[in-house]
Amino acid sequence: MGDFFSAIATPLYYAISGILLFWHRVVTLVLSPENGWSWVLAIVGLTVTIRALLIPLFVKQIKSSRNMQLIQPKVKELQKKYGHDRERLAQETMKLYKDTGTNPFASCLPLLIQMPIFLVLFRLVNKAAHNEAKGFLSVADVHHFADAKIFGARLADTFNGTHDTSVRVLAAVLVVAMCATTFFTQRQLMAKNMPAEAMQGQYAQQQKILLYVLPFVFAISGIAFPIAAMLYWTTSNVWTMGQQFYVIRNSPAPGTPAEKAKLERDREKAARKAARHGGTVASVDSADVAEAPAADDRRPAARQQPKKQTRSQRKSK
């Protein structure tokens, strides 16, 4: 099992350490290599780089989540119709996923891909704390990283690995920040971009479970995470919140509070534009439709055909 993990982790060691060193070299144009904040900014740069590379998967995640929300009424109908036959229900549900182009596992892809990266970063930091170089990190880089401090705490320190008060305070703050950003990232998606009918489906129940389970898991395991790893995960959550905010604001799912808010903003924008040009914005409603000319009235008059004449009448003309 260890050999299998090493075979997977070795390329990640080189990739993560290479990106980390690149950003550290950039930051050290301003700060000294030993400065703890140079490594903190390098970790932020590493996070931004990885999340930027994951944008295509994030787009698939948003589309899959939206489709899962929109097909919930149809899933409920299938459950009522084939609830007595689990095998047929599974077949019809998979057919529905295929017809609508929905992948129920796509919403987990960014998280599943990030977990190995997080674990490798976790081990990379632990190795550096014991002066062991991995990937592209040199012995000098490892020494600088192992001794790097912010607010009196080393980046390789953990909450349960020391009795230093300053380290424990900073680690506790980061554990809370990591759990809070995880919670609000999931809450943002459920509160703003899920239609009312989807909030009662099986998919919504799974989302509600994750809403509370994931922060709890991070709260328990976070006391063993190095400060550097918690900085990475918290920064990643902040990126996700901003990314979701942009997508939900500009491309909300139909029938959601976010869509209503966007329509209201569009109306206000149209009203301001019309006011600048001295016009008014006409709202399309039933009264406007009633006042509009009927389709038959707008249709051009039919051409009148000439009367049929006899041969003698045509000769006389």
Side-chain angles (χ1 to χ4, degrees), residues 237-257:
N237 285 344
V238 172
W239 173 284
T240 302
M241 291 176 66
Q243 204 171 35
Q244 283 186 171
F245 176 81
Y246 177 82
V247 172
I248 293 173
R249 179 181 174 84
N250 293 282
S251 183
T256 60

Side-chain angles (χ1 to χ4, degrees), residues 11 157 254:
D157 286 335

Side-chain angles (χ1 to χ4, degrees), residues 75-90:
V75 172
K76 285 185 177 180
E77 293 178 4
L78 292 177
Q79 290 173 347
K80 291 180 180 179
K81 188 174 182 180
Y82 303 107
H84 60 283
D85 189 347
R86 290 186 175 275
E87 185 177 353
R88 181 68 184 278
L89 175 62

Side-chain angles (χ1 to χ4, degrees), residues 45-105:
L46 169 69
T47 309
V48 171
T49 302
I50 292 174
R51 292 311 306 265
L53 293 174
L54 292 179
I55 285 178
L57 288 179
F58 178 80
V59 173
K60 289 184 179 181
Q61 177 194 23
I62 290 293
K63 290 181 179 179
S64 177
S65 298
R66 179 174 299 178
N67 287 344
M68 288 292 291
Q69 296 163 15
L70 297 179
I71 67 174
Q72 285 306 303
K74 295 182 179 179
V75 172
K76 285 185 177 180
E77 293 178 4
L78 292 177
Q79 290 173 347
K80 291 180 180 179
K81 188 174 182 180
Y82 303 107
H84 60 283
D85 189 347
R86 290 186 175 275
E87 185 177 353
R88 181 68 184 278
L89 175 62
Q91 293 175 355
E92 294 295 330
T93 303
M94 294 305 297
K95 183 176 182 298
L96 177 63
Y97 289 158
K98 184 178 180 180
D99 294 341
T100 56
T102 303
N103 184 358
F105 302 105

Side-chain angles (χ1 to χ4, degrees), residues 14 28 54 62 94 114 141 170 183 208 286 298:
Y14 282 96
T28 51
L54 292 179
I62 290 293
M94 294 305 297
Q114 280 201 94
D141 294 325
L170 179 59
F183 176 84
K208 289 178 182 178
S286 56
R298 297 193 299 268

Side-chain angles (χ1 to χ4, degrees), residues 24 33 37 45 49 103-104 106 120 133 144 185 207 214 234 261 275 292 297:
H24 187 250
W37 289 103
T49 302
N103 184 358
V120 167
H144 291 160
T185 298
Q207 296 297 310
L214 284 180
T234 303
D297 297 337

